[in-house]
Amino acid sequence: MKRKQLINIIAVLIAIPFLSGCWTLVAAGAGAYGGYKMKENGYTLQNPITKEKKSTSK
């Protein structure tokens, strides 16, 4: 019984580093999607983030 638990714990500890790359990709994708949706609403990525103003002069 203890041997099976030890093997399960070792398997989980070995698998955790392999999953960390997946979470990085998920976070990057979420950030890109958020930036895309902000651009659709007229925001630009500046410091600070501001909404584009429509110019009335021609």
Side-chain angles (χ1 to χ4, degrees):
M1 187 71 153
K2 284 188 176 188
R3 183 175 178 169
K4 186 175 181 181
Q5 287 177 338
L6 182 62
I7 291 172
N8 286 341
I9 290 172
I10 290 172
V12 168
L13 291 176
I14 290 172
I16 288 174
F18 292 112
L19 295 176
S20 64
C22 296
W23 291 111
T24 303
L25 291 175
V26 168
Y33 181 74
Y36 176 75
K37 292 309 261 183
M38 285 179 65
K39 186 69 175 172
E40 279 185 349
N41 291 329
Y43 289 92
T44 59
L45 299 177
Q46 298 175 352
N47 192 8
I49 297 174
T50 57
K51 193 169 188 175
E52 289 179 354
K53 296 179 182 173
K54 304 272 184 188
S55 63
T56 57
S57 63
K58 291 185 179 182

